[in-house]
Amino acid sequence: MTTSVPAAHETAAAAAHAAGRRRRIALAVVLTAAFMDLVDATIVNIAIPSIQRDTGATFSAVQWVTAGYALAFALGLITGGRLGDIHGRKKLFLLGMGGFTLASALCGFAAGPEMLVGARVLQGAMAALMVPQVLAIIHVTFPAHERGKAFGMFGAVIGLGAVCGPLIGALLTEGNLLGLQWRPIFLINLPVGIAGILLGRRFLTESRAPRALRVDLIGTALATAGLLMLLYPLTQGRESGWPLWGFVSMAASPLVLAVFVRYERAKARKDGSPLVELPLFKVRTFAAGAGVQLTFGVVSGLFFLVWTLHMQLGLGWGPLHAGLTGVPFSLACSAAAGVSVQRLVPRFGRKVLQAGALIMLSGALVYLWEAGRYGTALESWQLVPAMLLMGAGMGLIVAPITDTAISEVPAEHSGSASGIFNTTGQLGMALGLGLSSVAFFGVVGDTGQPGGAGAGAADALRTSFVDATTHALWWVCGGLVLVFGLLFLLPRRIRAQEAAERAEPAAPEGGAGPEQRQPALVS
């Protein structure tokens, strides 16, 4: 009897150690998946000039390489989350990770721009199956007293991905491993994804929602059709000479989206499982916050693409040079995001977000002035003030915006609100990338296409990219002014109790928490 007690204690300690080890490995797997998704969304922009040179991609194809991923990701987020609730989060996570790895291989071995665009769309769709499960798996895997630390590690990994993504892309592209040029930015996902699948099968725990909502396939189809009717002609129209069918399609897009809204209302009355809970938009702060998120997504999508092309095609910098130039932006954004959530917003409320919009606007104006004054002679060190201002301003907005916008949403609907909110941001980025046809590529003209200019016209070509950058930056400034105005519709402060309730990230329906899908910090 006396020896059985220590033996029982040893057995219990061994079991607890094994369970803790299992949880740590499971956390490493899902955090790796989140890191893969964020990095893959950020490293592509830095490789766009290399992709264009190697594949002969047109400007519209270049836009679809980035916009296709964002659009597929956005449209699949809520559906992916619900599928995990219904069929099992582990199953959908592994399916998404496997599909993401396969799509990465297709991207890396793409024979032409059409195949690359298709693979990127598939990659975004698979990310929409994988990413929504991450927070839910963390939530069910860890006991309450360990979740805070796990979610803290999640936030750290997301911040690390935002900072490291552009540099990883620059190193892989400029390193030209095995003569593959830009392709390693996708192929690097293969060993990581395979390891994640093998470990996930063994160490992840299956879970389902006790009362899962149904999948709304018709609503998803209507939303996809309406958005494609707007984005496809907006992206392709310039290269096609702005044909009549494009204007007809864009004019019909709101009608299809109106049908989507009508169907969603009927779906809510029928079974309570619409793709989008429209009553949430009756909450003024949520509607205003969604407007801010959409507009800020447009600004981000446009700016990051323009910034990349300005540095590499306008200024003639290599990928590593451009990536290092973006480091002050990423560091300032990460630092400001942490300070805003922990110290500033609890004390000053929405004024912090408004200050962020003004600081980012001032950075855009500094960038605009420098690009106009120095032209193609602009140096990296001259961009540092603009990068610090824009990064700090973005950090003050992106970190607290979700909690601020959903602060007056009833607690039982906060998961759906967060999922819709993140979807809105991704849709905004896709729209911003589409608008670059007008704001940027329309100024560059056909001379920027592969083979569109001779060697003797290189200086004129670079000048055209600089002119297009200054033109697009005015659009960015206008968008930031609109963001600043919309922020007045948000509550002055988040009530302390609500902030405390949301301090631990929930596993929102159809998407990540506010930290997970920040605008891509690309360079």
Side-chain angles (χ1 to χ4, degrees):
M1 292 294 294
T2 57
T3 59
S4 63
V5 174
H9 281 302
E10 290 178 3
T11 302
H17 177 76
R21 178 175 175 270
R22 184 183 186 91
R23 288 195 297 269
R24 288 191 296 272
I25 296 176
L27 179 63
V29 171
V30 295
L31 291 185
T32 299
F35 185 83
M36 282 173 60
D37 164 58
L38 184 61
V39 167
D40 217 73
T42 59
I43 66 178
V44 172
N45 276 26
I46 200 92
I48 280 177
S50 177
I51 292 173
Q52 189 183 30
R53 287 191 301 269
D54 183 46
T55 64
T58 63
F59 283 144
S60 62
V62 164
Q63 290 171 266
W64 280 116
V65 168
T66 49
Y69 183 97
L71 185 61
F73 184 89
L75 292 171
L77 267 176
I78 295 176
T79 300
R82 289 188 186 177
L83 287 172
D85 291 342
I86 296 170
H87 299 291
R89 288 138 182 169
K90 174 182 176 179
K91 183 183 296 182
L92 265 292
F93 175 84
L94 293 176
L95 177 62
M97 197 168 201
F100 190 89
T101 304
L102 174 62
S104 297
L106 294 175
C107 288
F109 294 115
E114 295 81 7
M115 181 177 175
L116 178 59
V117 170
R120 281 287 287 172
V121 172
L122 176 63
Q123 200 178 33
M126 292 299 101
L129 295 181
M130 175 178 69
V131 172
Q133 322 309 330
V134 171
L135 287 178
I137 289 175
I138 293 176
H139 195 272
V140 300
T141 299
F142 287 87
H145 67 279
E146 293 184 9
R147 287 181 198 147
K149 184 177 180 179
F151 284 126
M153 294 179 66
F154 168 79
V157 166
I158 297 306
L160 183 65
V163 174
C164 293
L167 289 179
I168 293 174
L171 288 170
L172 290 175
T173 302
E174 190 152 308
N176 193 20
L177 301 177
L178 302 176
L180 294 174
Q181 301 182 56
W182 52 273
R183 299 176 188 274
I185 69 172
F186 298 112
L187 297 178
I188 194 175
N189 290 333
L190 271 61
V192 178
I194 292 171
I197 293 169
L198 294 176
L199 292 172
R201 284 172 57 88
R202 180 177 178 183
F203 292 100
L204 293 182
T205 301
E206 187 60 279
S207 65
R208 293 175 174 83
R211 293 182 299 275
L213 296 176
R214 297 181 181 179
V215 175
D216 183 6
L217 294 178
I218 296 178
T220 302
L222 287 171
T224 302
L227 290 167
L228 280 177
M229 289 172 67
L230 173 64
L231 286 174
Y232 184 79
L234 184 62
T235 303
Q236 299 290 140
R238 188 192 64 82
E239 292 183 2
S240 302
W242 297 110
L244 178 61
W245 64 261
F247 292 101
V248 172
S249 177
M250 288 189 284
S253 172
L255 300 179
V256 176
L257 293 177
V259 173
F260 165 74
V261 171
R262 188 178 182 88
Y263 175 80
E264 291 299 285
R265 288 173 177 166
K267 178 75 170 173
R269 291 192 298 267
K270 180 180 179 181
D271 59 17
S273 296
L275 181 69
V276 176
E277 291 190 29
L278 296 176
L280 288 171
F281 290 92
K282 294 181 180 179
V283 180
R284 192 190 73 167
T285 54
F286 179 78
V292 171
Q293 183 81 332
L294 181 68
T295 307
F296 195 75
V298 170
V299 170
S300 300
L302 175 60
F303 172 73
F304 288 125
L305 179 62
V306 168
W307 183 21
T308 297
L309 296 179
H310 174 236
M311 288 189 293
Q312 296 194 55
L313 299 182
L315 301 178
W317 299 347
L320 185 58
H321 187 171
L324 291 173
T325 302
V327 169
F329 181 102
S330 297
L331 293 178
C333 185
S334 298
V339 174
S340 68
V341 171
Q342 297 174 11
R343 298 185 180 183
L344 298 180
V345 171
R347 183 175 180 182
F348 300 106
R350 78 176 181 208
K351 291 181 180 179
V352 176
L353 286 83
Q354 291 173 316
L358 292 178
I359 292 171
M360 194 171 178
L361 175 60
S362 66
L365 290 172
V366 171
Y367 194 154
L368 183 62
W369 176 78
E370 290 180 328
R373 177 176 180 180
Y374 298 109
T376 58
L378 186 64
E379 300 287 346
S380 290
W381 65 268
Q382 294 168 325
L383 275 179
V384 170
M387 294 298 96
L388 290 174
L389 288 170
M390 294 198 73
M394 177 171 280
L396 294 177
I397 296 174
V398 296
I401 181 61
T402 302
D403 280 349
T404 304
I406 68 175
S407 61
E408 295 183 2
V409 171
E412 62 269 22
H413 298 295
S414 61
S416 294
S418 183
I420 295 169
F421 202 74
N422 283 281
T423 298
T424 302
Q426 292 298 304
L427 290 176
M429 292 194 69
L431 181 58
L433 291 164
L435 282 174
S436 63
S437 289
V438 179
F440 183 80
F441 293 117
V443 178
V444 173
D446 294 333
T447 58
Q449 299 287 5
D459 290 341
L461 178 59
R462 289 176 58 185
T463 300
S464 72
F465 274 98
V466 173
D467 293 340
T469 299
T470 56
H471 185 264
L473 284 173
W474 282 115
W475 285 63
V476 171
C477 292
L480 290 170
V481 171
L482 181 57
V483 167
F484 177 77
L486 289 172
L487 287 169
F488 279 100
L489 300 177
L490 295 179
R492 293 179 180 274
R493 296 182 183 276
I494 302 178
R495 290 190 287 272
Q497 182 179 355
E498 292 167 336
E501 289 173 353
R502 294 185 173 90
E504 179 181 296
E509 175 193 22
E515 299 90 346
Q516 186 157 346
R517 292 302 305 183
Q518 295 180 5
L521 305 184
V522 295
S523 57

